[in-house]
């Protein structure tokens, strides 16, 4: 199973990382994620609160390697792709 996470705030990403960054300094209205997984992944998003809360956005598939997520207000958090 491949998992991919991207943290919005510091624009860093890791593949299969167990060290989860919580730096959430830069909320964005649209997140563009180039994941290079080669398929359309399942996506879930959490904010930076402790404990984290799921947040909703509209996911648009660009192709098998990239997506965008659009929010009604700028958001910072973590997108998980699997």
């Amino acid at each position: 199973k491949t998992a991919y996470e991207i943290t919005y705030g510091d624009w860093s990403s890791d593949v299969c990382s167990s060290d989860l960054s919580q730096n959430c300094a830069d909320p964005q209205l649209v997140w563009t994620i180039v994941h290079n997984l080669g398929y359309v992944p399942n996506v879930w998003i959490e904010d930076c609160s402790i404990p984290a809360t799921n947040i909703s956005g509209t996911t648009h598939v660009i192709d098998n390697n990239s997506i965008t997520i659009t929010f009604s207000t700028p958001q910072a958090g973590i997108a998980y792709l699997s």
Side-chain angles (χ1 to χ4, degrees), residues 20-39:
L20 187 60
S21 172
Q22 290 290 328
N23 182 353
C24 297
D26 188 22
Q28 299 290 315
L29 187 61
V30 177
W31 297 2
T32 300
I33 302 173
V34 179
H35 52 76
N36 294 321
L37 293 173
Y39 59 88

Side-chain angles (χ1 to χ4, degrees), residues 54-67:
N54 290 336
I55 52 178
S56 295
T58 301
T59 301
H60 174 72
V61 176
I62 297 169
D63 57 34
N64 282 343
N65 293 307
S66 54
I67 62 171

Side-chain angles (χ1 to χ4, degrees), residues 2-71:
T2 300
Y4 181 91
E5 67 187 40
I6 185 165
T7 303
Y8 269 78
D10 65 355
W11 298 88
S12 67
S13 62
D14 293 304
V15 176
C16 298
S17 172
S18 60
D19 182 20
L20 187 60
S21 172
Q22 290 290 328
N23 182 353
C24 297
D26 188 22
Q28 299 290 315
L29 187 61
V30 177
W31 297 2
T32 300
I33 302 173
V34 179
H35 52 76
N36 294 321
L37 293 173
Y39 59 88
V40 177
N42 294 310
V43 179
W44 70 99
I45 309 156
E46 293 180 345
D47 66 11
C48 295
S49 63
I50 299 176
T53 302
N54 290 336
I55 52 178
S56 295
T58 301
T59 301
H60 174 72
V61 176
I62 297 169
D63 57 34
N64 282 343
N65 293 307
S66 54
I67 62 171
T68 61
I69 304 169
T70 304
F71 302 98

